[in-house]
Amino acid sequence: MRLFRRPVLIATLTAAVLTLPACGSGAPAGEGGTTLTITANSISGGKNAAGADWIKQWVIPRFEAAQKAAGHEVRVLFQPNGVDDEQYKTKVALDLKSRTGADVIDLDGIWVGEFAQAGYVKPLAEVGGAAVETWEGWRQIPQAVQGLGIFDGKKYGLPQGTDGRVLYYNRELFRKAGLPERWQPGSWQEILDAGAALKKIPGVTPIQLNAGTAMGEATAMQGALPLLAGAGAEIYAGGKWAGSSQAVKDVLGFYRQIYAGGLGDPKLQQEAKGRDKSFAEFADGRIGILAEGDYFWRAVIDPKVGVAPMADRDRVVGYAKIPAIRPGAGIRGQDFVSMSGGAVRVLNPFSRNPRQAWELLSFMHSAEAVKAELAGAARVTSRSDVNADVLAADPMLKFISEEVLPITAYRPGLAVYPQVSAALQEATADVVAGRTAEQAATAYRAKVEGLVGGSGNLAD
Amino acid sequence: MSTDAAGLGRARAVGFVLPALVLIGVFLMFPAVWTIYLGLTDYRLTGLAAAEPRLVGADNYVTALGDGRFRNSLQLTVQYVLGSAIIGQAGLGFALAWIMRDRRGPVRRLVEGLVLLSWILPGSVVAFLWIALLDRDGGTLNALLGTPGAAWLLDHPMLSIIVFNTWRGTAFSMMLYAAALENVPPSHLETARLAGASTFQQLRDVVLPRIKGHVLTNVLLTSLWTFNDFTPFLITAGGPEGRSEILPFYVYSTALRGGQLGFGAAVSFLILLINLVFALAYLRLLRDRREVSG
């Protein structure tokens, strides 16, 4: 007996083929209502857990209730991720390339330019409609922070906030090394001097300055770029990329002094999980000085929600501004420098419900939502009204927003930047592996020249 | 048979072959041709070249062949295949099969069970076991050897993944050779031994001619698997600083992480050519063998 009659078989196959494209196109269609999805590189119990919990426990129920009150049947889903940033970027790019993906998407601000050039994201007003321009929140976001979501003069994303980089130091180790427990180095030499004093304590790595390619962008943001700013240069300025300039050689020379001088752990820079290990070692009191963003304070060593919690963080850990190579030698003649970045949220231009997606996105950036997202943690949000509220409560946040943000710099949002950054990371790796600053700078220059279309686009 | 009947037979034959042809066309030929085409463009995952890729001719190939990192990858891949597929999996697999050939009972079952276990465990699980074993702080090996802080993965990245891959894949070769050795009559080996032949001579003159086909098949398969294997990425991620960046990792980091899809396609095509050389050499050897024995 035949299992299927032929027409039945053909009909079944046809139906299967026809329904295939409906799979995997982001959200399932809500029954009689609208379904919206949010995606981010955060996951409960793992990476950026607080953000995932806020979306699931605060944003979704409240937004659904608010929509219901207005007579709309809306379901919101969250697609979590807990992978490294480059993998997340690839995944989102592939989603958008195939015109699928979530309606509201978390992106690093540095990716906005290349995503816009590729046609993966469109200006907010084009997707979300007239409601975008009249949104109340724009007045609350400082221009510099709005810049995180701007490309070619158009607003592509809503900034989630910004951050700053500082030097963290372990006060107990400083006391043991005979160093002051309130420390603010005024030059690179003073960092090296503190490192030399810390070296006398057995089992302690004096300085952790991210280096090498395994750390990826963390090497640029926490290491090479703030140092470059401290040497008076930027990676991209006036239409030219930094070549083998004196500033680049100064930066690589400083790396060499740390890693060839036994003040840092070269092996840690090469490990696949080196950055995570550096967090654990600092929390264990095995690293004296560590350059990191404020992310380290609120998401890594936070006593309650950190991945490497320090119960006595507030007493033991101090933070200082990153000094220029010499007083007054930093960019714009500054004594101290920093680098900032920040995440944005964009609308998926291929969303089936772009207007409602904007409602969801703007809801996530309302004062009330942003305050809830903080949940008592220290973070410079994008909204001045919220910052004014929470500033007073947290000295670290106050320090970042009052002392660090006024002296900070941002990366260029250009598609070739990640490759230039990779070349800079390789240069630091060369120095850690024992090459001279001169050799590493020459190799770096040759790579960048190939990337940016000739030496006419380099500043040596 | 009338021509009508012949025509009907042909139509029926075509009907039978067509589904397979369509599948091969859609899932094999089209992607292959598409990959070759992409390899000739400056196509990227993001940026302007994602929206409007341009034809750049052989640029990607010139860049790859001139890239020190690609040549380094190629060199490491040769080491990796020689070390872990040919000497490691095939060699060790044969040695184990040879040692176990006359044994029956619990010892053999125990050895086979242990070796098989390494083969049936998922690669990602095994990779994490090896990290736990070789890690710098808290690794089992350092605890056993009393060498705290020895960085095996950083100081010997290639050796680490070669040993890992050997450990993982030896079982397949061992099972294959164990079956192959059943084809060698013990009386022949006995005669050779009585005639004063050394073990090496026995292997060369009595055993090898009878299992040559198995050896070729085994070496080809383990080589191809190893050549295209991505699992060790979980252990070293190609590091430190590219010292274990075999070709699959190179493609991954340039094409996917670096977003250079056109370049990645070109390198993938180069890898396909290298694989073809392997396969053609194998077919050639097999044909020679048939002609000799036929």
Side-chain angles (χ1 to χ4, degrees):
Chain A
M1 194 189 114
R2 266 203 295 188
L3 207 55
F4 287 111
R5 287 169 180 277
R6 189 166 298 173
V8 174
L9 188 67
I10 290 172
T12 313
L13 281 176
T14 311
V17 169
L18 288 177
T19 51
L20 268 180
C23 305
S25 60
E31 296 201 7
T34 312
T35 302
L36 296 169
T37 35
I38 305 170
T39 196
N41 196 5
S42 58
I43 188 161
S44 292
K47 184 167 183 148
N48 301 321
D53 292 342
W54 166 72
I55 290 173
K56 288 198 315 203
Q57 291 158 18
W58 199 95
V59 174
I60 293 177
R62 280 170 195 251
F63 182 76
E64 286 178 351
Q67 289 288 313
K68 202 174 183 125
H72 307 300
E73 197 59 48
V74 178
R75 263 185 79 219
V76 182
L77 304 172
F78 176 54
Q79 295 171 346
N81 297 273
V83 292
D84 74 42
D85 293 344
E86 276 88 1
Q87 279 174 319
Y88 176 74
K89 177 186 178 182
T90 303
K91 177 176 183 278
V92 171
L94 289 171
D95 276 351
L96 292 167
K97 181 182 227 13
S98 49
R99 305 187 161 228
T100 63
D103 300 277
V104 172
I105 302 171
D106 243 47
L107 291 183
D108 191 322
I110 192 71
W111 305 337
V112 169
E114 42 183 311
F115 274 59
Q117 285 178 324
Y120 299 157
V121 291
K122 295 260 183 299
L124 287 171
E126 273 182 44
V127 185
V132 173
E133 286 306 333
T134 56
W135 181 52
E136 55 79 31
W138 292 120
R139 280 176 300 122
Q140 299 293 347
I141 307 175
Q143 207 53 45
V145 179
Q146 284 196 25
L148 286 167
I150 291 177
F151 178 72
D152 266 356
K154 296 195 179 76
K155 296 170 185 161
Y156 284 85
L158 285 190
Q160 299 178 35
T162 188
D163 60 0
R165 266 110 204 115
V166 295
L167 295 175
Y168 293 94
Y169 59 99
N170 184 316
R171 288 198 174 116
E172 279 183 356
L173 294 177
F174 266 53
R175 191 169 38 79
K176 277 186 197 159
L179 292 162
E181 287 185 50
R182 291 215 162 277
W183 181 64
Q184 176 57 68
S187 67
W188 290 2
Q189 189 54 50
E190 286 180 34
I191 299 174
L192 295 171
D193 293 345
L198 288 160
K199 200 180 166 179
K200 298 191 189 97
I201 312 172
V204 167
T205 304
I207 301 169
Q208 170 55 34
L209 178 67
N210 293 350
T213 55
M215 298 251 186
E217 191 58 14
T219 290
M221 272 309 255
Q222 267 85 240
L225 294 180
L227 290 175
L228 196 59
E234 293 193 72
I235 190 78
Y236 180 78
K240 288 187 190 294
W241 295 88
S244 56
S245 62
Q246 188 52 48
V248 168
K249 288 176 195 162
D250 287 341
V251 170
L252 296 171
F254 185 62
Y255 268 103
R256 192 174 158 83
Q257 284 177 292
I258 289 175
Y259 288 105
L263 298 178
D265 177 356
K267 290 255 190 292
L268 192 63
Q269 316 313 310
Q270 301 175 331
E271 295 204 24
K273 294 271 173 222
R275 191 174 175 214
D276 294 343
K277 279 195 178 179
S278 77
F279 294 165
E281 286 185 18
F282 186 92
D284 278 353
R286 289 189 285 146
I287 289 178
I289 303 166
L290 174 134
E292 261 296 343
D294 55 71
Y295 161 83
F296 180 73
W297 181 264
R298 61 189 152 79
V300 178
I301 54 171
D302 183 278
K304 289 196 287 292
V305 298
V307 284
M310 289 178 82
D312 47 6
R313 176 195 70 178
D314 296 3
R315 189 177 55 78
V316 173
V317 184
Y319 38 85
K321 284 178 290 185
I322 301 170
I325 183 167
R326 286 174 304 279
I331 46 167
R332 302 180 289 251
Q334 291 169 193
D335 299 336
F336 301 99
V337 292
S338 187
M339 287 299 296
S340 293
V344 302
R345 289 191 187 95
V346 298
L347 292 178
N348 186 329
F350 313 109
S351 166
R352 276 180 261 167
N353 307 290
R355 301 288 184 272
Q356 276 141 317
W358 165 254
E359 279 183 41
L360 173 59
L361 175 62
S362 53
F363 179 85
M364 290 169 84
H365 287 257
S366 65
E368 196 190 359
V370 171
K371 217 176 286 184
E373 186 179 10
L374 278 180
R379 194 163 67 82
V380 181
T381 77
S382 57
R383 296 186 62 116
S384 308
D385 49 0
V386 176
N387 289 344
D389 261 7
V390 291
L391 259 178
D394 194 292
M396 167 68 187
L397 178 60
K398 201 172 149 92
F399 181 80
I400 293 284
S401 84
E402 289 179 7
E403 304 269 339
V404 176
L405 290 185
I407 54 168
T408 198
Y410 293 87
R411 291 165 293 177
L414 298 165
V416 74
Y417 166 76
Q419 287 173 279
V420 177
S421 170
L424 193 59
Q425 293 159 33
E426 284 167 30
T428 64
D430 285 349
V431 172
V432 171
R435 296 216 182 91
T436 66
E438 195 71 44
Q439 290 167 326
T442 307
Y444 158 81
R445 189 192 186 282
K447 279 178 204 143
V448 177
E449 192 180 337
L451 292 171
V452 302
S455 60
N457 298 323
L458 290 178
D460 283 325
Chain B
M1 195 195 272
S2 73
T3 47
D4 277 2
L8 203 67
R10 203 171 301 129
R12 181 170 289 194
V14 169
F16 277 121
V17 175
L18 200 62
L21 276 181
V22 168
L23 282 176
I24 289 172
V26 170
F27 291 106
L28 207 69
M29 297 317 291
F30 172 71
V33 171
W34 187 242
T35 300
I36 293 170
Y37 163 72
L38 279 185
L40 302 172
T41 67
D42 68 349
Y43 192 40
R44 294 185 63 101
L45 183 65
T46 59
L48 288 172
E52 298 154 5
R54 288 172 320 198
L55 276 169
V56 292
D59 271 12
N60 289 326
Y61 293 93
V62 174
T63 308
L65 296 172
D67 183 6
R69 199 172 146 194
F70 173 75
R71 291 199 301 268
N72 167 61
S73 267
L74 198 57
Q75 228 170 352
L76 292 176
T77 309
V78 171
Q79 281 179 32
Y80 185 57
V81 170
L82 269 178
S84 70
I86 297 172
I87 299 170
Q89 291 182 11
L92 189 65
F94 180 81
L96 279 171
W98 178 251
I99 293 165
M100 305 299 295
R101 74 188 183 285
D102 297 330
R103 293 183 194 277
R104 295 286 176 270
V107 176
R108 177 170 179 150
R109 279 202 296 276
L110 179 75
V111 172
E112 280 181 349
L114 284 175
V115 177
L116 259 180
L117 190 67
S118 64
W119 196 54
I120 56 176
L121 282 172
S124 51
V125 173
V126 178
F128 284 110
L129 285 176
W130 277 76
I131 292 173
L133 182 72
L134 297 173
D135 201 37
R136 191 156 66 113
D137 21 43
T140 320
L141 191 62
N142 282 343
L144 286 173
L145 299 177
T147 49
W152 305 100
L153 286 171
L154 297 175
D155 295 339
H156 310 286
M158 277 313 290
L159 187 65
S160 296
I161 62 173
I162 284 172
V163 173
F164 158 79
N165 193 42
T166 300
W167 184 84
R168 247 180 86 212
T170 299
F172 171 79
S173 299
M174 184 183 101
M175 303 307 272
L176 190 130
Y177 288 126
L181 287 173
E182 304 281 333
N183 296 338
V184 182
S187 58
H188 287 212
L189 281 171
E190 188 66 16
T191 312
R193 211 166 46 80
L194 290 173
S198 67
T199 308
F200 174 73
Q201 286 167 326
Q202 290 173 41
L203 283 173
R204 190 188 57 194
D205 301 331
V206 181
V207 177
L208 198 60
R210 289 173 187 279
I211 64 164
K212 201 170 169 187
H214 297 90
V215 173
L216 285 174
T217 306
N218 173 249
V219 167
L220 177 84
L221 285 176
T222 54
S223 300
L224 284 179
W225 285 340
T226 298
F227 197 94
N228 298 309
D229 184 24
F230 194 76
T231 319
F233 189 84
L234 296 169
I235 301 181
T236 64
E241 304 305 339
R243 296 218 319 271
S244 64
E245 193 176 54
I246 52 178
L247 280 170
F249 303 176
Y250 176 80
V251 175
Y252 171 75
S253 65
T254 50
L256 275 172
R257 290 182 82 105
Q260 306 174 71
L261 301 178
F263 182 77
V267 176
S268 299
F269 184 65
L270 287 175
I271 293 179
L272 175 74
L273 291 180
I274 298 168
N275 279 334
L276 270 177
V277 171
F278 269 113
L280 290 173
Y282 164 76
L283 288 172
R284 184 72 197 267
L285 285 165
L286 213 59
R287 205 183 56 208
D288 292 351
R289 218 183 115 257
R290 287 215 184 93
E291 282 166 2
V292 170
S293 58

